């Protein structure tokens, strides 16, 4: 045991505590800059712009824009250069790649979802911890009895969530899909496949496979309208509720960011249904953010687990905890692979 008594006076300034206390200021600065279109304007201009030019382009006050640009410069999201006493701004490479709407790797939609949905739910974190349940009712005035009825409470909200998934898998999808060699599995079913972004990663990495996206009817409708085109010939859809309706037979089932939404009991219920439908010699791939086995980190995943409390019925888990859920449903030869990014992969097999 270590003691913190007698801490030197030099450590008395609570720098880290102050950073934590004011961390939301950084998030909201990024959110506001994206919502106003600051990074899009700078990308489109193809030259550095003054604060006056940017404020006019985004329809904001000059004073407010100057302060916002200064903060973004301090956050190393913008570069500045001086010319005849005037300051001109341009995007950093990271801002152009991840914060502009038109970039293939854009996180813009993810940022919008964090700003307009998750941020509002986190206003009730204290209540979530006290009560041990999600806070959709307080945040949005909708019942959270049916988790995905609350999550998809309007078409607009559903599209926002699907765009969030799209942006995440554009960055992390290839890593989780290639964490194991999935080429032996020709018939793949992506349960809760949402926008189809991970299905596209599958068909790209494994040219001989076909992927069926299984999701709720309204999600399938939105995916067809906005995300998956007829050009994606090896991707098909199957409408249903994976807790209630028959699952298509497949060699491999993918559950990407699904089990973390649910209690252990519900996870085993779903995995048991998958085991029953799975072809002999098949497998299930879990894509989740994994906690260290002792629960000591990563910090991002610890925070995600709090988010699961605020938003869902579930939690983030360790590889061993996911392995126990898989084993309880009958899967064997369970392995996990850390990608070094946000999401990792766990693979469980069904014997021949």
């Amino acid at each position: 045991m270590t003691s913190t008594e007698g801490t030197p006076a030099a450590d008395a300034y609570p720098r880290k505590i102050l950073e934590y206390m004011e961390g939301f200021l950084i998030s909201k600065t990024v959110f506001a800059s994206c919502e106003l279109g600051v990074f899009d304007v700078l990308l489109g201009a193809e030259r550095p712009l003054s604060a006056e030019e940017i404020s006019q382009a985004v329809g904001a006050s000059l004073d407010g824009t100057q302060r916002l640009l200064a903060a973004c410069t301090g956050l190393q999201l913008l570069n500045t250069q001086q010319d005849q006493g005037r300051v001109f701004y341009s995007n950093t490479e990271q801002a152009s790649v991840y914060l502009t709407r038109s970039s293939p790797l854009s996180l813009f939609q993810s940022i919008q979802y964090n700003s307009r949905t998750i941020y509002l739910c986190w206003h009730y974190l204290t209540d979530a911890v006290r009560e041990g349940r999600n806070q959709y009712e307080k945040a949005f005035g909708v019942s959270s009895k049916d988790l995905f009825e609350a999550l998809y409470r309007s078409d607009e909200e559903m599209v926002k969530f699907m765009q969030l998934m799209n942006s995440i898998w554009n960055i992390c999808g290839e890593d989780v899909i290639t964490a194991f060699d999935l080429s032996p599995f020709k018939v793949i079913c992506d349960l809760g496949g949402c926008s189809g972004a991970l299905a596209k990663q599958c068909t790209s990495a494994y040219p001989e496979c076909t992927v069926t996206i299984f999701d709720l009817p309204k999600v399938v409708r939105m995916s067809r309208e906005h995300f998956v085109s007829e050009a994606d010939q090896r991707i098909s859809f199957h409408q249903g509720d994976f807790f209630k309706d028959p699952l298509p037979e497949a060699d491999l089932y993918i559950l990407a960011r699904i089990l973390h939404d649910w209690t252990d009991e519900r996870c085993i219920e779903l995995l048991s249904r998958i085991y029953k439908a799975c072809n002999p010699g098949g497998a299930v791939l879990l894509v989740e953010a994994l906690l260290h086995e002792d629960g000591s980190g990563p910090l991002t995943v610890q925070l995600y687990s709090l988010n699961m409390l605020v938003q869902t019925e579930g939690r983030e888990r360790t590889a061993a905890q996911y392995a126990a859920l898989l084993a309880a449903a009958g899967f064997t030869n369970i392995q996990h692979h850390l990608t070094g990014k946000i999401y990792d992969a766990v693979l469980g097999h069904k014997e021949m």
Side-chain angles (χ1 to χ4, degrees):
M1 181 181 286
T2 59
S3 171
T4 57
E5 289 181 22
T7 303
D11 294 338
Y13 183 69
R15 188 179 308 278
K16 194 163 282 296
I17 300 297
L18 291 172
E19 287 176 3
Y20 293 164
M21 183 177 75
E22 298 175 348
F24 75 95
L25 301 179
I26 294 174
S27 297
K28 288 302 285 182
T29 297
V30 176
F31 296 167
S33 300
C34 286
E35 287 172 27
L36 287 167
V38 169
F39 306 109
D40 296 314
V41 165
L42 287 168
L43 181 71
E46 298 182 349
R47 64 175 176 83
L49 297 179
S50 67
E52 290 83 359
E53 290 172 308
I54 296 167
S55 70
Q56 286 179 358
V58 303
S61 70
L62 177 58
D63 179 44
T65 301
Q66 287 172 328
R67 299 184 198 209
L68 187 66
L69 296 174
C72 286
T73 303
L75 291 172
Q76 300 180 346
L77 299 175
L78 296 179
N79 296 316
T80 60
Q81 62 188 68
Q82 300 262 353
D83 186 10
Q84 296 181 345
R86 297 180 72 201
V87 181
F88 291 85
Y89 299 87
S90 59
N91 288 336
T92 61
E93 184 179 355
Q94 288 251 314
S96 287
V97 172
Y98 297 111
L99 300 180
T100 58
R101 298 176 208 224
S102 59
S103 169
L105 297 177
S106 176
L107 286 170
F108 178 85
Q109 299 299 342
S110 184
I111 286 165
Q112 291 281 82
Y113 191 79
N114 273 273
S115 177
R116 297 178 181 180
T117 299
I118 296 176
Y119 192 82
L120 297 180
C121 286
W122 273 66
H123 182 71
Y124 300 98
L125 175 61
T126 306
D127 292 343
V129 173
R130 282 199 185 110
E131 299 166 12
R133 62 189 180 89
N134 74 58
Q135 298 297 305
Y136 264 101
E137 203 150 343
K138 287 178 189 163
F140 303 109
V142 295
S143 171
S144 57
K145 249 179 214 177
D146 185 323
L147 175 60
F148 279 87
E149 280 300 315
L151 197 63
Y152 297 151
R153 58 194 175 277
S154 68
D155 281 0
E156 180 189 5
E157 196 64 23
M158 192 187 340
V159 170
K160 280 199 308 190
F161 182 79
M162 294 172 81
Q163 288 169 330
L164 162 73
M165 292 292 94
N166 231 39
S167 64
I168 287 170
W169 298 135
N170 283 343
I171 290 172
C172 303
E174 183 181 357
D175 297 271
V176 294
I177 288 302
T178 58
F180 300 99
D181 178 12
L182 304 179
S183 60
F185 307 113
K186 307 304 182 193
V187 180
I188 298 173
C189 181
D190 186 1
L191 292 172
C194 199
S195 69
L198 213 53
K200 292 176 187 177
Q201 296 281 1
C202 276
T203 55
S204 174
Y206 304 105
E208 294 181 9
C209 81
T210 59
V211 183
T212 299
I213 297 170
F214 185 104
D215 218 316
L216 297 169
K218 57 186 177 183
V219 178
V220 167
R221 173 173 57 83
M222 284 294 179
S223 190
R224 280 181 165 139
E225 284 179 17
H226 298 282
F227 298 99
V228 179
S229 71
E230 291 182 5
D232 301 303
Q233 294 182 353
R234 289 187 291 124
I235 297 174
S236 60
F237 291 92
H238 191 114
Q239 300 182 12
D241 180 328
F242 51 50
F243 280 114
K244 298 175 183 174
D245 298 315
L247 302 179
E249 287 186 9
D251 303 322
L252 176 73
Y253 295 84
I254 297 174
L255 290 171
R257 285 179 37 121
I258 301 294
L259 294 190
H260 75 166
D261 289 337
W262 305 102
T263 62
D264 287 357
E265 294 75 19
R266 292 287 265 167
C267 289
I268 293 170
E269 178 188 347
L270 178 55
L271 289 170
S272 298
R273 299 190 88 232
I274 292 169
Y275 186 85
K276 199 170 177 182
C278 185
N279 292 329
V284 60
L285 178 73
L286 310 183
V287 178
E288 298 285 0
L290 296 180
L291 284 164
H292 298 328
E293 290 304 327
D294 63 359
S296 63
L299 173 60
T300 299
V301 188
Q302 292 168 326
L303 295 173
Y304 282 3
S305 204
L306 271 179
N307 190 51
M308 291 300 99
L309 173 64
V310 170
Q311 281 205 284
T312 73
E313 298 176 13
R315 64 192 311 117
E316 305 298 350
R317 298 176 174 90
T318 66
Q321 287 171 327
Y322 281 117
L325 296 176
L326 286 163
F331 290 97
T332 58
N333 186 22
I334 299 160
Q335 309 156 267
H336 75 275
H337 179 91
L338 303 178
T339 66
K341 294 186 179 177
I342 300 174
Y343 293 103
D344 305 305
V346 182
L347 189 67
H349 295 80
K350 179 176 179 177
E351 294 180 356
M352 291 292 289

